[in-house]
Amino acid sequence: MFNSLSDRLTATFKNLRGKGRLSEADIDGTAREIRRALLDADVAVPVVREFIAKIKARALGAEVSEALNPGQQVVKIVNEELVGILGGDTRELRLAKNPPTVIMLAGLQGAGKTTLAGKLAAHLKGKGHTPILAACDLQRPNAVNQLQVGGERAGVPVFAPHPGISSEAETPTGDPVQVARDAVSEARSKLHDIVIIDTAGRLGVDQELMRQAADIKAAVGAHETLFVIDSMIGQDAVNTAQAFNEGVDFTGVVLTKLDGDARGGAALSVAQVTGKPVMYASTGEGLKDFEVFHPDRMARRILD
Ligand code: GDP
C-alpha cells in the first residue's frame, strides 16, 4: 500500500530503471495516478485535464537520467509544473510608492474575508507597518462588529461608518464606496501606511455586489485586490474565480480554511484559470493561523 502520490508514481516505474526514455505506455499508468491524486485533492476537472496533457508532453521522451529513476523524474516534472502554476516564488505584497497602500479583500460570503482582514493586519503590523482596517461590508449584519473584534485582537484601528454598532441584528447603513474613500483619507491624515478594506460578499456570485467591489476598487485605486476563497469550495473554484477575476480583476489569491480536510486543490484550480498568484493562506480561526503562501510547500502537500 502506497500512501503518497510520489510513492505511487515511483512505484509505477519500478521496473523501468535504465530503460533509456520514457514511453507513452509508461506514462499512461502514471497519468492515471496523477489524475486520481489531483481529483482527490479537489482540483477542478478541466484543470486536471490540462495539467495531465502538459505532464505527458514533458515526460514523453524525457531522458532517464542516471541520478533519478523514471518515477522520481516524473515526480520532479509534476512538482515543477505544480509550483509553476501556483506562481513560482512567493509573491510579496506590492507597496505603493506614496502611502497608504490600499489592499481590498473580495470573495463570497463565508469565505473568511473578515477573519483574514484581522490576521493580515496583525501580520503587517508585525512587519513594522501601521495598518488600518476599513469596514465596507455593510451587507452582513455582524460584519462591522466582527471586524472591530478582529482589529482589537490585532491591535489595529478600524474605520467604520457607525462607530459602536453593537446589535447583531442591526445592519449598518451607508455607502461602502464613501466609507472606503474616507478610510483612505483617515489613513493619510493619521499616517497609517496600509489600508485593508473588507467588502461584502454573497453566497453566490452577485452582479450588484461585484459592481460595488469594482466601484470601491476604482474609487480608492486599490494597489492589491485579494480574492479570498475557501479551500473547501471544490469544483466551484473555477467558476467563482473566473467571475471575480472578470468582476474585480484581482491581483492575488488568499486560500482560507486550509486547516480542514481540503488538500488545497482549489489553489491549483484558481491559479491555473486566472494566472494570478496565491499569496497567503489562512489555517484556522485564530489571529496567528495565517501563512505567507509557498508554492513549493503546496505542491508537496498535493504530492504527499
Ligand atoms: P466572510 O463572510 O468572508 O467575511 O467570512 P468570515 O471571516 O466571517 O468567516 C466565515 C467563517 O469561517 C467564520 O466562522 C470564521 O471563523 C471561519 N473561518 C475563517 N477563516 C478560517 C480558517 O482559515 N479556518 C477555519 N477553520 N475557519 C475559518
Side-chain angles (χ1 to χ4, degrees), residues 30-303:
T30 319
R32 258 194 307 277
E33 291 288 350
I34 300 170
R35 183 177 296 116
R36 207 175 73 193
L38 294 181
L39 290 172
D40 279 354
D42 245 341
V43 178
V45 173
V47 173
V48 173
R49 208 173 294 133
E50 208 171 308
F51 187 82
I52 298 291
K54 226 193 262 179
I55 297 295
K56 272 190 169 174
R58 263 192 75 181
L60 195 62
E63 284 281 352
V64 176
S65 77
E66 290 292 311
L68 298 177
N69 69 37
Q72 289 167 332
Q73 202 147 8
V74 174
V75 170
K76 182 166 169 278
I77 293 173
V78 171
N79 185 63
E80 282 170 8
E81 288 293 335
L82 286 174
V83 172
I85 292 172
L86 291 170
D89 291 328
T90 297
R91 171 80 142 82
E92 302 285 335
L93 205 61
R94 280 190 302 240
L95 296 171
K97 279 201 191 85
N98 299 314
T101 299
V102 180
I103 305 170
M104 187 179 97
L105 308 181
L108 294 180
Q109 183 176 318
K113 289 181 298 299
T114 308
T115 309
L116 177 86
K119 295 176 183 196
L120 183 60
H123 168 75
L124 294 171
K125 191 179 171 198
K127 294 184 79 162
H129 293 287
T130 53
I132 182 173
L133 290 158
C136 296
D137 179 356
L138 308 184
Q139 214 75 28
R140 188 158 63 86
N142 201 31
V144 175
N145 252 341
Q146 196 189 328
L147 192 70
Q148 276 164 338
V149 171
E152 250 164 57
R153 278 199 201 130
V156 168
V158 176
F159 186 88
H162 292 308
I165 287 169
S166 57
S167 157
E168 291 208 0
E170 190 176 347
T171 304
T173 51
D175 172 11
V177 176
Q178 193 54 44
V179 175
R181 274 201 196 99
D182 292 346
V184 173
S185 305
E186 170 99 349
R188 210 163 266 133
S189 68
K190 297 201 172 152
L191 301 181
H192 293 285
D193 66 344
I194 294 180
V195 184
I196 300 169
I197 300 178
D198 187 23
T199 64
R202 278 274 165 86
L203 288 174
V205 173
D206 173 282
Q207 287 314 320
E208 196 185 323
L209 282 185
M210 194 68 85
R211 235 183 341 263
Q212 182 186 93
D215 288 348
I216 293 175
K217 178 179 174 172
V220 296
H223 302 90
E224 294 275 15
T225 303
L226 303 184
F227 170 54
V228 181
I229 182 166
D230 183 338
S231 55
M232 317 272 253
I233 190 170
Q235 298 291 319
D236 282 343
V238 168
N239 287 342
T240 311
Q242 274 170 337
F244 276 90
N245 199 32
E246 281 163 25
V248 297
D249 191 17
F250 53 83
T251 54
V253 180
V254 182
L255 208 59
T256 63
K257 308 187 194 180
L258 263 182
D259 49 313
D261 289 338
R263 301 193 68 182
L268 199 70
S269 304
V270 173
Q272 167 85 333
V273 298
T274 67
K276 306 283 170 76
V278 185
M279 292 174 64
Y280 300 108
S282 184
T283 56
E285 298 187 64
L287 205 58
K288 291 211 176 324
D289 300 325
F290 172 88
E291 290 169 10
V292 170
F293 187 84
H294 295 276
D296 52 340
R297 286 188 209 159
M298 177 52 80
R300 242 176 285 143
R301 182 169 165 141
I302 293 172
L303 274 167

